[in-house]
Amino acid sequence: MKKQIRLRVNGMDRTVEVAPRTSLLEAVRDQLGLTGAKLGCDMQVCGACTLLLDGKPVSACSFLAVDADGSELTTIEGLAAGDRLHPLQEAFMDCGALQCGYCTSGFILTAKALLDEQPRPSEEQIKDYLGGNFCRCGCYQEIIQAVKKVAGI
Amino acid sequence: METTEIGKSVRRLDYKTKVTGRAQYLADMSVPGMCHGKILRSPYPHARIVRIDASKARQISGVVAVLTRDDILHDQGIEPFYGPVFKDQTIVAVEKVRHVGDPVAAVAALTVDAAEEALRMIEVDYEELPAVLSVNDSLKPGAPLVHESVKLPASGFADLAELKPVEGTNICTHFRLNRGDIQRGFAEADRIFEDTFTLPATQHSFLETHACIAQVEPGGRITVWATTQNPFVVRTQLANIFKVPVSKVRVIVPYLGGGYGGKVYPKVEPITVALAQKAGRPVRLVLSREEVFYTITKHAAIIKMKTGVKNDGTLVARECEIHLDTGAYAEIGPRVAKKSGYTAAGPYRIPNLKIDSYSVYTNKPPAGAFRGFGVSQSAWAVESQMDIIAAALKIDPLELRKQNGYDEGDKFVTEETLRAVGLKECLDEVAKSIGWGRMEQWNNGTVEQWSRGENIKRGKGIACMIKATITPSISSAVVKLNEDASLSIYTGTVEMGQGSETVLAQIAGKELGIPLETIQVLGVDTDVVPYDLTTSSSRSTFHMGKAVQLAARDILRQLKQIAAMEYGVPEAQVTFAGGKIRLPEAQLDYSDAMFKRFGMQGGTLVGEGQVKTSTKNEFGEKSTSAFWFLAAGAAEVEVDVDTGRLKLVKYATAVDVGKALNPLGCRQQLAGAAITGIGQALFEEIAYDNGQPINPNFVDYVLPSLGDMPETIDPISVEVPDPNGPFGAKGIGESALIPVAPAIANAVFDAVGVRIKDLPIKAEKIFLALEEMKAKAR
Amino acid sequence: MNDFEYLEPATVAEACAMLKRYGGEARPYAGGAYLSIVMKQGLIRPKALVNIKKIQELKGIRFDPSEGFVIGALATHRELETSQLIREKLPILCAVEREVANIRVRNVGTVGGNLASGEPLTDLAQVFLALDARVAISGPSGDRTIPLEELFVDLYQTSLGEEEILTRVIVPPPPPATGIEYIRFSSSSVVDKPCVGVAVRISLNADRKTCGTVRIALGCVAPRPMRAQGAEALLTGHPLSPQLVEQAAAAAAEECSPISDLRGSERFKRGIVRVLVRRAMAVAYDRASHASTLRLRSGQAGSA
């Protein structure tokens, strides 16, 4: 049985109808057309589907959409303010922190959550926080560099 | 806007769309009227299909089409058999299934749920057959045959023409290489070393799974959106399968979420097209993570290596037998085996060789191309044994490599002359980076180390490699100079993360003297772009880069003609600089010349470039590679002698890139390949239980993560230009992966005296070897 | 994943009633970290999920002078990791949590869910066992509190009834002169599930030399997290000596029953247990000797 849920997505109020088993990722990709978050492993391991739910990174592939009812959601599409990209987006480009780009939205959103929590994290904190996102192209060094750049460390 | 530079890092052209989440990958796309495809797969490694009844599945609401063997066998419009080398694959299983996960049937339905429900309703009766689940089982006399016979294509790859399946056995191909006199070689040797090395099947693990959208128009025109690294090969194969001219097949490739070799040759395209044809509407099929493990893997291998050496370290003879587990279908296994064979001598002068390299069928998921294929198998053996030899002869491993390693002008094992060989430069660079020959003093006295005490040992290891690129091959490019002097580039090179778009634009921009911002590299669409063989084998910068360079020069030639004609100046006096046309008395913008030529604000100049490499080189010798890849890696490790736990402290990788066109791009590719190599070296392995992969997911098949990274990975670009590459550039995508595993194994030996010959180098293997060593010492 | 009903009770009593109504075919749902995986794999196909996340009484982490630390079942891994109270008074838990899965799982996965899943390859249970934790359980027939050890029955099996809900974990305040250490050993990537996890707690007698209470909890080497009681007994009443440590480590390696799997062979796992017990014991003893207050020190030696 479908249930109507309300979400505030990138600052806009949205309503979607979902079955209880619909994942947050399916709701966001298929119904809201926000495809920046990707399905990677479908098991909360790789981080390609990361979204910020009330500011915190979650694996949208395994989070029930019904359980997000009333929450605030940030997706990669919501980071830039018009033409002005988020500093993390700029830093990822400057440092070369991506290749194929499939993991990128997950990394940037996770890094955003970290910097919102802790504006000047140590390198160790960055590694801890981002340690559960996979980049198969292997841009880990550049990703750390990009986050450090934005954090000013 | 600045004119384009090469040799200076530039921000990649594909970045803005990717960091904003706007880049469209296949699973993000849909077409009107599209339905969803799902595949029913075999639960058995080897079984005869007795009966398939799909009638109940067809009755599920929302099901549009169910595809079984009856559809491909009885349709005059379909050639059921295909494959890149041998025609041993079918769209769905016909008589028998040959591996767990082999496609048996497929469903197209209006929703994914309906498709999945329909799969459960398809009844299949199997008669299980004895299976061969390892190379050793497969080669036993009287072993069950994976293929009773194999169909050969009417024409195939020129470089594989001599390789055929061995009738009545499971041997898919047998590549032989003989050089000198092997008997005499061993007779001359002072010492002979015999070792067996093994490595397991692994998976590419691109985060984007294989996917396809297919649409078949009533007239038979086929359009596919595909996650493929070689759209033109897919086009040819689809044309053959569906019996239409290639002009009736259109392959469109969006950005790929990684490829690493796992997206070459047809994967899900044939089955998606067959479904779309039967459904009479477009079908999208996106594989699950688990299904990727059934679709393609990296070859497991057993490598027996016998090497004769003089006491002074000179290598004189090698006999090598390589068995590669190619799984149930040949795929590109024959070339993998051939490349393993060619590189079984490593980057070393060895006058006497007897090399036998086999691809062998088993009842396991097919193995194919994986970043650096063939060589990452052979180099594991070659480079591990080099250190075994060095230790026995008490020669520095670096020196032993330099003593035997190739120099400019040396003959490769095929007797062709090597040129642009930066091997020793690479070795020296990584040795310097890692502090070869020095053991840094490190502090044993910290609190953190207190509980570990003297249990941690450090060691360093080095390894190197030589690799070829696919030859002969073709790349063509078209560039269009628009009326405002902006440029559009049309190529079949697939941007899968390697940065090809940017490098191709840099080459054209440099050649024409125009800013990078005015250049657009178009996406791949076989209806629009000219032919390119493949985006693999680290070939695009060299081949397509050169083709783009030639196409840009073609534009310059035309501009010169226009300027000469329109301004009445001899062509010899027309020159170019900084994006302008220089005449003796004046200077013109390209747009001025265009306006003169076309008489209005409009018109296009079309430039063409083609690169066709040949099986003969400039010395008139038979050539197996248009250019050569040389690389080295060095590792420093810590080993916990109580647990066997290994920590990579530092890794340096040096690749002879010819010329670094976009240095940041080179560092990404080098470090990235090294990181994949770290996963392959330390823990990646598909585990099977009776032919069933037991870890086809990222919880149990673990990828290298941030926490597994050493403090430093030092990617070093060595520049020994190749005269035929654009601005001297060579390819770089695969080289850095190959030396990682042996460099780490050699470092482990240096640290604790344990020689691991079986990948991956897991803590347990070191632990058990140390236990054995301790037991012997007692 | 199969279709199911989705229910949102406001109280524990309501939740238990809902579970009862489905007669074993409903599951409590909180973070879904574990449930979503087994449901996607079709290993369980519940008719209903009872989302207990809105039940206030299951939330929060507090210290009660009589009971000790009370951790609500809905406390997420991340809450435990970043709790000021825990960081000050029981820092070992923060150190352990920092290495649990990844930030996303820690944000949604709950302590209660982690324990109630009966998943054998985890970390938290070992530390709780070493601290003599108890769990409070509510059901239609009332409430009960049991030692954590009694919760675990077998692989993915607990003693929770189908209509019961685990409501909180209670960690009694450790005695003075207590030291604890947890070492997580991964046999491949650092993000892999643990191959072996060992927690050792030593509470010294008043002489501050001889061991009073000793807890050696082993994870991933039996169908459920277990205590190596034979090894514990060897130490009780004695000062720590290298010989004794070695004996106890060997005993612990004997007592467990690991199986050979992807993460290592039985022989290897026993060997690792032995090393980890030895190492954890040394650290725990050292911490106990230097412990001044309730605060249980923990370094970053959380991994081997």
Side-chain angles (χ1 to χ4, degrees):
Chain A
M1 203 178 44
K2 295 234 172 175
K3 186 171 184 275
Q4 199 176 65
I5 60 163
R6 290 171 50 207
L7 297 168
R8 192 164 173 80
V9 183
N10 301 328
M12 301 253 284
D13 287 320
R14 305 293 297 262
T15 306
V16 287
E17 282 228 327
V18 294
R21 66 186 170 131
T22 307
S23 72
L24 185 59
L25 184 67
E26 288 165 335
V28 166
R29 283 176 57 88
D30 301 345
Q31 295 186 47
L32 300 177
L34 297 168
T35 56
K38 312 296 182 193
L39 184 66
C41 67
D42 212 5
M43 291 188 124
Q44 311 164 65
V45 172
C46 77
C49 68
T50 304
L51 294 176
L52 302 187
L53 188 72
D54 295 326
K56 292 179 185 157
V58 299
S59 293
C61 72
S62 302
F63 197 95
L64 297 182
V66 282
D67 194 17
D69 190 13
S71 305
E72 197 159 314
L73 204 59
T74 307
T75 75
I76 189 71
E77 291 89 345
L79 250 54
D83 272 353
R84 219 180 64 243
L85 299 191
H86 188 280
L88 277 164
Q89 292 173 314
E90 290 287 350
F92 267 58
M93 294 198 285
D94 286 340
C95 299
L98 62 143
Q99 294 190 54
C100 81
Y102 218 72
C103 68
T104 307
S105 74
F107 265 108
I108 290 180
L109 288 171
T110 308
K112 178 184 185 305
L114 166 66
L115 296 181
D116 288 347
E117 254 178 53
Q118 171 66 267
R120 289 179 64 82
S122 65
E123 180 159 342
E124 199 190 339
Q125 283 173 316
I126 299 172
K127 285 184 177 169
D128 265 3
Y129 211 94
L130 298 181
N133 288 65
F134 289 154
C135 170
R136 186 54 157 176
C137 297
C139 278
Y140 292 128
Q141 294 198 123
E142 294 85 351
I143 289 167
I144 296 293
Q145 205 189 331
V147 179
K148 281 167 79 174
K149 186 175 173 185
V150 176
I153 60 166
Chain B
M1 287 188 287
E2 292 173 16
T3 56
T4 309
E5 281 306 317
I6 56 152
K8 205 181 94 186
S9 294
V10 298
R11 185 187 265 194
R12 280 170 50 166
L13 302 182
D14 54 340
Y15 270 2
K16 206 156 187 176
T17 182
K18 287 179 177 176
V19 297
T20 52
R22 305 287 171 172
Q24 290 259 301
Y25 299 81
L26 206 140
D28 305 333
M29 301 167 69
S30 56
V31 297
M34 183 181 92
C35 53
H36 302 271
K38 285 279 165 193
I39 300 173
L40 181 71
R41 294 175 180 276
S42 166
Y44 301 109
H46 200 191
R48 191 167 307 287
I49 299 174
V50 180
R51 182 186 72 103
I52 303 181
D53 183 352
S55 53
K56 285 183 191 145
R58 288 194 186 94
Q59 275 150 30
I60 303 288
S61 164
V63 168
V64 182
V66 181
L67 184 83
T68 66
R69 57 183 179 182
D70 293 337
D71 298 295
I72 60 166
L73 287 178
H74 305 132
D75 186 332
Q76 292 306 310
I78 294 181
E79 159 61 44
F81 298 92
Y82 71 96
V85 183
F86 303 135
K87 290 167 71 171
D88 59 2
Q89 286 174 267
T90 50
I91 294 170
V92 286
V94 172
E95 279 171 20
K96 50 181 200 171
V97 288
R98 295 185 173 85
H99 67 90
V100 171
D102 210 356
V104 175
V107 174
L110 297 181
T111 63
V112 173
D113 288 346
E116 280 172 353
E117 198 189 338
L119 289 190
R120 288 193 289 273
M121 303 307 286
I122 299 173
E123 294 170 12
V124 187
D125 294 341
Y126 296 97
E127 176 199 336
E128 266 194 88
L129 299 169
V132 283
L133 299 172
S134 69
V135 160
N136 287 336
D137 282 351
S138 183
L139 293 174
K140 279 182 188 148
L145 294 180
V146 179
H147 294 270
E148 283 73 20
S149 69
V150 174
K151 289 185 198 308
L152 305 180
S155 66
F157 288 108
D159 63 323
L160 303 175
E162 79 279 19
L163 298 172
K164 300 280 180 286
V166 180
E167 281 278 329
T169 74
N170 285 314
I171 295 172
C172 176
T173 55
H174 176 188
F175 169 78
R176 296 178 178 85
L177 180 87
N178 293 296
R179 187 188 201 194
D181 181 337
I182 193 71
Q183 251 83 43
R184 177 156 4 126
F186 281 116
E188 283 171 7
D190 296 317
R191 301 280 298 268
I192 291 173
F193 296 85
E194 283 188 80
D195 299 283
T196 300
F197 301 90
T198 53
L199 61 165
T202 58
Q203 219 289 320
H204 309 70
S205 303
F206 20 70
L207 292 189
E208 179 202 39
T209 61
H210 300 97
C212 182
I213 299 175
Q215 169 173 300
V216 183
E217 284 162 34
R221 165 94 157 123
I222 296 168
T223 304
V224 301
W225 289 261
T227 55
T228 182
Q229 293 175 233
N230 48 18
F232 285 92
V233 174
V234 168
R235 182 177 72 157
T236 308
Q237 294 268 330
L238 290 177
N240 292 345
I241 295 168
F242 296 98
K243 299 184 177 174
V244 292
V246 290
S247 62
K248 298 289 178 194
V249 182
R250 178 183 186 190
V251 181
I252 300 166
V253 187
Y255 284 136
L256 299 192
Y260 324 116
K263 292 175 180 171
V264 290
Y265 307 109
K267 294 287 186 287
V268 292
E269 297 83 5
I271 201 166
T272 316
V273 173
L275 263 181
Q277 192 175 56
K278 188 157 187 207
R281 54 198 296 171
V283 172
R284 183 173 80 187
L285 191 144
V286 180
L287 292 192
S288 69
R289 178 58 52 193
E290 179 179 344
E291 286 180 294
V292 173
F293 283 79
Y294 301 132
T295 303
I296 196 71
T297 65
K298 173 182 168 182
H299 286 80
I302 302 171
I303 303 167
K304 289 185 184 150
M305 189 165 276
K306 177 180 168 189
T307 304
V309 192
K310 295 274 202 193
N311 279 331
D312 69 357
T314 308
L315 304 176
V316 290
R318 172 166 295 164
E319 194 173 329
C320 182
E321 199 178 72
I322 302 169
H323 286 104
L324 293 154
D325 183 344
T326 206
Y329 300 102
E331 245 272 348
I332 199 63
R335 186 179 285 135
V336 178
K338 183 171 176 177
K339 290 215 172 184
S340 271
Y342 271 140
T343 52
Y348 307 114
R349 294 179 294 265
I350 308 180
N352 305 295
L353 295 170
K354 179 180 186 304
I355 292 162
D356 294 273
S357 183
Y358 303 85
S359 59
V360 182
Y361 285 122
T362 62
N363 291 114
K364 300 236 285 282
F370 187 119
R371 209 168 186 175
F373 71 61
V375 194
S376 63
Q377 283 91 352
S378 64
W380 167 237
V382 171
E383 290 301 291
S384 295
Q385 203 186 45
M386 279 304 270
D387 271 42
I388 293 174
I389 294 168
L393 299 182
K394 298 193 168 55
I395 299 176
D396 179 328
L398 173 63
E399 290 312 313
L400 184 68
R401 286 176 171 81
K402 288 169 76 172
Q403 179 188 344
N404 289 284
Y406 283 135
D407 286 312
E408 187 79 27
D410 276 343
K411 297 279 189 199
F412 189 55
V413 295
T414 52
E415 307 304 340
E416 67 203 274
T417 306
L418 295 166
R419 64 160 157 39
V421 181
L423 175 70
K424 291 178 187 174
E425 291 87 336
C426 288
L427 279 166
D428 285 336
E429 286 293 335
V430 293
K432 192 169 83 187
S433 174
I434 204 92
W436 185 256
R438 270 186 296 124
M439 251 326 144
E440 280 89 356
Q441 287 301 307
W442 54 291
N443 189 353
N444 275 317
T446 65
V447 176
E448 199 210 339
Q449 283 166 356
W450 175 74
S451 65
R452 302 189 298 180
E454 293 298 311
N455 303 318
I456 305 296
K457 303 274 185 219
R458 283 204 177 193
K460 294 178 183 179
I462 201 162
C464 56
M465 68 107 222
I466 187 167
K467 188 186 133 9
T469 188
I470 179 173
T471 306
S473 78
I474 304 169
S475 285
S476 324
V478 165
V479 303
K480 293 201 309 200
L481 187 70
N482 303 304
E483 66 268 30
D484 62 351
S486 67
L487 192 79
S488 310
I489 299 179
Y490 296 75
T491 78
T493 293
V494 174
E495 176 58 83
M496 51 189 180
Q498 80 278 42
S500 55
E501 259 189 31
T502 309
V503 162
L504 296 179
Q506 276 182 284
I507 290 169
K510 173 72 180 172
E511 204 62 37
L512 291 168
I514 58 175
L516 205 54
E517 292 84 344
T518 65
I519 302 172
Q520 181 64 42
V521 181
L522 278 88
V524 175
D525 178 342
T526 56
D527 265 12
V528 178
V529 302
Y531 188 88
D532 175 53
L533 180 66
T534 177
T535 304
S536 62
S537 205
S538 305
R539 65 181 290 283
S540 298
T541 299
F542 183 92
H543 295 82
M544 192 56 84
K546 189 75 190 179
V548 166
Q549 187 178 38
L550 294 174
R553 285 181 187 162
D554 189 18
I555 294 284
L556 291 178
R557 181 186 58 76
Q558 295 174 47
L559 284 170
K560 186 178 260 196
Q561 274 180 355
I562 294 168
M565 198 171 349
E566 301 289 342
Y567 293 86
V569 178
E571 274 193 34
Q573 289 182 25
V574 182
T575 57
F576 296 91
K580 311 252 185 226
I581 305 170
R582 301 270 167 92
L583 305 177
E585 311 265 299
Q587 163 168 305
L588 296 173
D589 286 336
Y590 294 167
S591 54
D592 298 337
M594 297 279 283
F595 192 83
K596 270 275 190 204
R597 165 77 175 76
F598 293 105
M600 63 172 74
Q601 187 73 22
T604 309
L605 294 186
V606 179
E608 273 187 78
Q610 266 188 28
V611 169
K612 178 186 163 297
T613 58
S614 141
T615 47
K616 284 249 186 308
N617 64 19
E618 68 257 44
F619 309 105
E621 301 158 339
K622 176 176 172 255
S623 165
T624 46
S625 188
F627 65 100
W628 297 94
F629 301 92
L630 290 311
E636 179 169 9
V637 304
E638 276 184 9
V639 178
D640 180 329
V641 294
D642 290 341
T643 63
R645 175 110 187 128
L646 179 159
K647 184 175 181 304
L648 188 56
V649 178
K650 177 163 187 181
Y651 190 79
T653 172
V655 174
D656 176 3
V657 305
K659 166 77 187 169
L661 301 179
N662 182 8
L664 176 58
C666 289
R667 288 201 294 276
Q668 287 181 322
Q669 282 284 290
L670 266 51
I675 289 170
T676 303
I678 290 169
Q680 304 281 300
L682 298 186
F683 40 76
E684 287 184 43
E685 171 173 25
I686 305 176
Y688 293 93
D689 178 19
N690 196 30
Q692 169 75 51
I694 55 172
N695 56 347
N697 60 68
F698 287 170
V699 170
D700 298 313
Y701 184 96
V702 190
L703 304 183
S705 71
L706 248 171
D708 301 307
M709 293 301 106
E711 275 161 37
T712 325
I713 294 177
D714 186 11
I716 305 162
S717 298
V718 165
E719 296 185 325
V720 179
D722 189 287
N724 294 334
F727 306 102
K730 300 173 184 169
I732 61 168
E734 301 157 295
S735 310
L737 188 153
I738 293 162
V740 180
I744 292 177
N746 292 341
V748 169
F749 180 80
D750 185 42
V752 292
V754 160
R755 171 58 58 186
I756 303 296
K757 298 180 182 177
D758 172 42
L759 283 179
I761 310 166
K762 283 190 151 189
E764 173 160 6
K765 291 178 190 167
I766 300 175
F767 173 89
L768 293 176
L770 283 167
E771 293 266 286
E772 202 177 309
M773 227 162 78
K774 288 175 203 162
K776 272 185 198 158
R778 270 186 221 119
Chain C
M1 198 184 282
N2 64 302
D3 270 322
F4 53 83
E5 293 286 318
Y6 177 77
L7 307 167
E8 287 189 322
T11 64
V12 172
E14 213 184 309
C16 294
M18 287 171 174
L19 291 171
K20 184 170 181 163
R21 201 188 322 142
Y22 280 88
E25 298 207 67
R27 287 284 183 132
Y29 163 93
Y34 162 78
L35 211 50
S36 72
I37 290 187
V38 287
M39 284 177 69
K40 278 183 197 175
Q41 292 175 331
L43 296 174
I44 65 165
R45 308 172 71 87
K47 281 195 178 146
L49 289 190
V50 178
N51 186 349
I52 56 173
K53 253 163 126 174
K54 295 199 172 138
I55 303 178
Q56 281 306 321
E57 55 197 293
L58 299 179
K59 293 184 180 173
I61 300 169
R62 62 193 166 84
F63 182 72
D64 179 313
S66 60
E67 280 194 295
F69 301 89
V70 180
I71 301 164
L74 284 180
T76 62
H77 293 292
R78 184 68 175 158
E79 276 173 62
L80 206 54
E81 180 189 350
T82 56
S83 153
Q84 198 57 38
L85 173 73
I86 298 297
R87 188 181 303 276
E88 277 172 24
K89 304 271 173 78
L90 217 51
I92 185 76
L93 279 178
C94 300
V96 173
E97 285 289 11
R98 237 183 63 187
E99 298 193 47
V100 167
N102 57 53
I103 189 75
R104 303 177 305 281
V105 169
R106 298 206 292 277
N107 276 333
V108 300
T110 62
V111 171
N114 182 274
L115 299 177
S117 69
E119 148 87 58
L121 304 184
T122 63
D123 301 290
L124 211 44
Q126 288 86 275
V127 181
F128 281 141
L129 280 185
L131 290 167
D132 287 343
R134 287 171 295 128
V135 287
I137 295 165
S138 291
S141 48
D143 299 344
R144 59 192 179 112
T145 302
I146 57 168
L148 177 61
E149 262 183 282
E150 292 174 16
L151 177 71
F152 302 117
V153 175
D154 205 338
L155 290 169
Y156 303 102
Q157 274 181 38
T158 66
S159 58
L160 273 176
E162 285 165 347
E163 298 150 6
E164 285 185 320
I165 286 173
L166 192 159
T167 57
R168 59 191 188 277
V169 181
I170 301 138
V171 181
T178 290
I180 182 165
E181 168 70 331
Y182 178 68
I183 307 179
R184 172 189 215 273
F185 183 84
S186 147
S187 57
S188 67
S189 163
V190 295
V191 296
D192 191 13
K193 288 185 177 184
C195 161
V196 175
V198 170
V200 174
R201 194 249 297 187
I202 298 177
S203 298
L204 297 177
N205 287 324
D207 61 8
R208 292 206 158 233
K209 281 218 158 11
T210 54
C211 297
T213 308
V214 178
R215 293 287 178 267
I216 300 172
L218 312 178
C220 321
V221 287
R224 57 198 186 109
M226 60 168 280
R227 272 176 54 193
Q229 289 178 330
E232 289 172 0
L234 286 173
L235 295 178
T236 311
H238 300 281
L240 216 59
S241 69
Q243 295 79 2
L244 204 53
V245 168
E246 202 47 65
Q247 278 173 27
E254 274 300 304
E255 278 179 80
C256 60
S257 52
I259 51 159
S260 297
D261 62 14
L262 281 175
R263 291 176 177 82
S265 68
E266 180 199 335
R267 180 180 163 197
F268 177 59
K269 288 178 185 174
R270 286 191 197 276
I272 295 302
V273 165
R274 188 170 172 164
V275 175
L276 300 195
V277 167
R278 194 169 67 211
R279 289 180 180 179
M281 206 173 273
V283 175
Y285 186 79
D286 184 59
R287 285 180 181 156
S289 326
H290 295 94
S292 51
T293 63
L294 183 66
R295 183 183 155 91
L296 295 185
R297 275 198 36 98
S298 106
Q300 52 185 30
S303 71

